[in-house]
Amino acid sequence: MKVTVVGAGAVGASCAEYIAMKNFAAEVVLLDIKEGFAEGKAMDLMQTASLNGFDTKITGSTNDYSKTAESDVVVITSGIPRKPGMTREELIGINAGIVKSVSSSLIEHSPNAVVIVVSNPMDTMTYLVHKTTSLPKHKIIGMGGALDSARFKYRLAEALEAPISDVDGMVIGGHSDKGMVPLIHHATRNSVKVSEFLDSDKMDYVVQETKVGGATLTGLLGTSAWYAPGAAVSGLVQAIANDQKKMFPCSALLEGEYGLNDLCIGVPVILGKNGIEKIVEIKLNDTEKEKLHESAEGVKKTNGLLDV
Ligand SMILES: NC(=O)C1=CN([C@@H]2O[C@H](COP(=O)(O)OP(=O)(O)OC[C@H]3O[C@@H](n4cnc5c(N)ncnc54)[C@H](O)[C@@H]3O)[C@@H](O)[C@H]2O)C=CC1
Ligand SMILES: O=C([O-])CC(=O)C(=O)O
């Protein structure tokens, strides 16, 4: 299994590190436009191999896509991150051009790869890859919901005063401060609905803190987060590499599922060796359906800013 990660910045390097630490890929290529940067990150990471006990070979490349040839999975993290006070949507002007050219170069050298899009605004960048490449739809996946769900579980565990391994929950919808739909009424502690333990104020707090999870970290760090994003991407790559058929909420092109069409938005999918093996349609209550559709309107508005 060969994985390419474009963008050797905070998220790209964290992603490469987690992939190596999980020791399931033979090779990870980090590629960046900044001269020597990816080579430096790759060398630094390789010098952790004997300390951390992995055999994955990590190499770096300054914009030479021939080094990425025949990758099985490619991850796009290239682009600018937001600063405190910004929305993800404000990044579209710069990131759309980067994602369009990077995805085209990647696919030229790895026509059979599964593409994972991370750059923000992620749902719109995922849609852009659908619109500007000829890859089949099951091979284009946006990463957002896996991260948002991890943050949801963190907030649930905090509110429940429970260990995180006790809780389960999922966030669907757009990967944006307003568009996320944490499925609080489906969330559980050891199979028991969290509504049995939390009053409605506490549940509202969990939902609100989950939705602004990225903005909260951006305020604290001065740039956006990277550890949990990198770990979330590595989980998707592993599910594909090991054909795990695991369910994650991912941004997928919808063609009628959930009553939505012609956009990419977070919904539960099964990930395996072909990428998206299946889009899972779960039963939503009327409020959840309404929130998902409102979220879709927001994503479509951002998609409207694309020149496609
Ligand atoms: N979908 C999600 O859940 C998440 C998305 N993000 C997004 O990921 C992106 C990256 O974030 P960070 O790693 O924190 O930023 P960063 O600034 O640390 O790294 C971005 C890297 O991309 C490189 N780059 C820029 N243009 C390039 C090109 N044309 N080809 C190759 N490399 C290029 C830069 O040189 C830089 O090293 C941002 O757009 C951010 O908003 C971040 C966290 C989570
Ligand atoms: O908040 C951001 O801009 C980066 C991101 O998507 C996240 O961490 O969820």
Side-chain angles (χ1 to χ4, degrees), residues 89-147:
E89 288 80 353
E90 286 174 70
L91 305 173
I92 190 172
I94 292 177
N95 287 355
I98 295 175
V99 170
K100 189 173 168 190
S101 76
V102 163
S103 55
S104 142
S105 305
L106 281 170
I107 293 163
E108 195 187 320
H109 291 85
S110 302
N112 300 316
V114 173
V115 180
I116 299 179
V117 181
V118 182
S119 311
N120 274 315
M122 181 277 294
D123 297 290
T124 296
M125 294 302 101
T126 308
Y127 183 72
L128 175 68
V129 176
H130 277 289
K131 284 289 182 192
T132 55
T133 71
S134 52
L135 278 187
K137 65 176 201 156
H138 63 274
K139 290 204 161 176
I140 305 172
I141 305 166
M143 193 295 290
L147 169 64

Side-chain angles (χ1 to χ4, degrees), residues 6-12 31-34 37 63 65 77-82 91 95 98 102 118-120 122 143-144 147 175 224-225 229:
V6 178
V11 176
L31 182 145
D32 203 284
I33 200 164
K34 223 188 291 174
F37 191 58
N63 227 25
Y65 282 85
T77 77
S78 45
I80 55 163
R82 62 174 159 166
L91 305 173
N95 287 355
I98 295 175
V102 163
V118 182
S119 311
N120 274 315
M122 181 277 294
M143 193 295 290
L147 169 64
H175 180 61
S224 54

Side-chain angles (χ1 to χ4, degrees), residues 25-306:
E27 193 180 351
V28 174
V29 179
L30 264 177
L31 182 145
D32 203 284
I33 200 164
K34 223 188 291 174
E35 188 67 42
F37 191 58
E39 288 85 341
K41 288 276 181 117
M43 193 186 289
D44 193 8
L45 283 169
M46 276 309 281
Q47 290 169 1
T48 71
S50 62
L51 299 163
N52 286 331
F54 63 78
D55 294 320
T56 301
K57 184 179 163 206
I58 309 170
T59 55
S61 159
T62 302
N63 227 25
D64 177 0
Y65 282 85
S66 67
K67 304 254 172 71
T68 71
E70 303 306 324
S71 293
D72 301 288
V73 180
V74 300
V75 180
I76 303 177
T77 77
S78 45
I80 55 163
R82 62 174 159 166
K83 296 220 175 327
M86 288 174 77
T87 64
R88 296 176 179 88
E89 288 80 353
E90 286 174 70
L91 305 173
I92 190 172
I94 292 177
N95 287 355
I98 295 175
V99 170
K100 189 173 168 190
S101 76
V102 163
S103 55
S104 142
S105 305
L106 281 170
I107 293 163
E108 195 187 320
H109 291 85
S110 302
N112 300 316
V114 173
V115 180
I116 299 179
V117 181
V118 182
S119 311
N120 274 315
M122 181 277 294
D123 297 290
T124 296
M125 294 302 101
T126 308
Y127 183 72
L128 175 68
V129 176
H130 277 289
K131 284 289 182 192
T132 55
T133 71
S134 52
L135 278 187
K137 65 176 201 156
H138 63 274
K139 290 204 161 176
I140 305 172
I141 305 166
M143 193 295 290
L147 169 64
D148 302 332
S149 301
R151 290 183 177 147
F152 185 34
K153 288 178 231 181
Y154 165 81
R155 289 297 180 190
L156 281 167
E158 181 187 56
L160 289 161
E161 297 181 38
I164 291 197
S165 55
D166 249 16
V167 303
D168 203 5
M170 182 164 62
V171 178
I172 61 169
H175 180 61
S176 66
D177 300 341
K178 291 196 179 133
M180 282 176 215
V181 185
L183 296 177
I184 189 85
H185 295 289
H186 296 255
T188 58
R189 177 177 188 176
N190 278 352
S191 315
V192 181
K193 293 205 167 185
V194 297
S195 52
E196 297 225 6
F197 308 111
L198 300 176
D199 61 26
S200 64
D201 282 354
K202 284 212 171 111
M203 293 207 291
D204 288 348
Y205 176 81
V206 166
V207 166
Q208 190 45 31
E209 289 303 310
T210 300
K211 290 172 76 171
V212 297
T216 301
L217 285 161
T218 304
L220 291 168
L221 297 166
T223 184
S224 54
W226 56 89
Y227 294 117
V233 175
S234 76
L236 305 196
V237 177
Q238 187 173 23
I240 297 163
N242 295 349
D243 194 23
Q244 284 176 321
K245 310 277 197 288
K246 264 177 90 108
M247 185 165 84
F248 290 93
C250 290
S251 194
L253 185 75
L254 298 189
E255 292 174 315
E257 298 89 349
Y258 292 94
L260 295 169
N261 268 296
D262 193 31
L263 85 165
C264 296
I265 194 165
V267 291
V269 305
I270 304 298
L271 289 188
K273 65 180 187 309
N274 300 306
I276 296 176
E277 305 277 342
K278 186 179 177 216
I279 293 176
V280 182
E281 285 200 74
I282 56 168
K283 212 173 189 181
L284 299 176
N285 66 32
D286 288 346
T287 315
E288 290 161 346
K289 257 186 234 160
E290 199 181 305
K291 289 203 167 124
L292 180 63
H293 280 247
E294 266 171 32
S295 178
E297 274 173 37
V299 172
K300 283 209 165 181
K301 206 166 143 203
T302 311
N303 291 352
L305 301 173
L306 288 173

